[in-house]
Amino acid sequence: MSSNSYYVPSGGLPPQTQLLTDRAVFTNSYAVIPKGTMRDIVCSHLPFWDGMRMWVLARPLSGFAESFSHYIVELEAGGGSDRPETDKKAEGALFVVSGEICLTIEGTSHIMSGGGFAYLPPNCDWTIRNDSKGLATFHWFRKTYEAVDGLDMPPAFVTREQDETPIAMPNTDGKWATTRFVDPLDMRHDMHITVVTFEPGAVIPFLETHVMEHGLYVLEGKAAYRLNQDWVEVEAGDYMWLRAFCPQACYAGGPGKFRYLLYKDVNRHMVLK
C-alpha cells in the first residue's frame, strides 16, 4: 500500500482580519495559484451536474497556455452527472484525491478512491456519481483530441497510482521518479498526466526549456521552483501553470517528499498557421 498523501482544497473564506499579502502571480510565461486562493467565491458550476462545485485552475488563453483545461471538482454525497462532458471532441482524465466516486464507462462501473486515475477518449459514454456519504474530490483534465490519420483512438481505461511502478529518471538513484499512466511511446495519446515525485534534496538539475505546456498541482510537500527568471516557494495545494518554453527547475528541500500531478501535451506535430 502506498503511503502517499493527496492535498484536498476545502474552500471557505479567510477572516476579515487576514492580510491580503499572498503568493499569487500571473506573468506572461507562468502563473502560480496558491492554495489559499481556492475559496468559495471563486467556485464554478456546470450544466447537467448536481451537488458539485469546482475550481478552474487552467483554461485555454490566447497567447498563453492554450491546449488544456484543469478543474478540481468537489462532489457532495449523491452528487454527479449523467451528462458530464458536453464537447464530443474533448478527451478527459480524472484523478481522485479524496472520497469515493462511481465512474461508469460504456455501461461498466468503476469505484475509484484516492489515487484512482481514468482516461476518457472523445465521445465516450460516461457518467459519474458520489454514492458515498461524504465529499469526494477529483482533478479533471480536458483537451481537444488531435486525431491522426492511421492512428486508432486510445481506449478508455481505469487504474490507480498505487498499481503503477514509478520510473526513476536516469542518473538520479531513484530520487526523482515519474508515475506514468500511459506508455510514453503510445502515439495514440496526445497528452500525458503523470505524478512526479522528488525525495528530499532531489533537484531538476537544469533549466528545462521545452515546447510542452504544463499544469503542475502540488499533491504533497514543498519545494523551491524556478519559473522563468524567478524562484518561488510552493507547497501542497499550490498550482503552477507554464506556457511553452518557460524555463523551469526544482529543488525539493524536504523534510518529506515533494509530489505533483503533471499535465503536458505530447506526440503531435506543431500546428502551422
Side-chain angles (χ1 to χ4, degrees), residues 115-132:
F117 177 88
Y119 172 75
L120 302 161
N123 208 21
C124 177
D125 180 14
W126 64 283
T127 64
I128 189 167
R129 195 61 60 178
N130 177 5
D131 292 328
S132 72

Side-chain angles (χ1 to χ4, degrees), residues 82-144:
D82 295 328
R83 189 183 170 189
E85 178 57 77
T86 55
D87 184 347
K88 292 185 177 181
K89 295 182 179 180
E91 61 184 332
L94 310 181
F95 185 79
V96 181
V97 291
S98 76
E100 186 176 275
I101 62 171
C102 178
L103 175 68
T104 301
I105 305 173
E106 307 291 350
T108 300
S109 295
H110 307 268
I111 304 301
M112 300 174 63
S113 56
F117 177 88
Y119 172 75
L120 302 161
N123 208 21
C124 177
D125 180 14
W126 64 283
T127 64
I128 189 167
R129 195 61 60 178
N130 177 5
D131 292 328
S132 72
K133 296 181 180 179
L135 292 174
T137 307
F138 62 92
H139 291 253
W140 182 7
F141 299 87
R142 299 172 66 247
K143 182 183 183 295
T144 298

Side-chain angles (χ1 to χ4, degrees), residues 44-58:
S44 298
H45 303 275
L46 291 174
F48 313 117
W49 285 76
D50 55 82
M52 76 88 79
R53 64 176 183 171
M54 68 182 191
W55 289 277
V56 179
L57 298 178

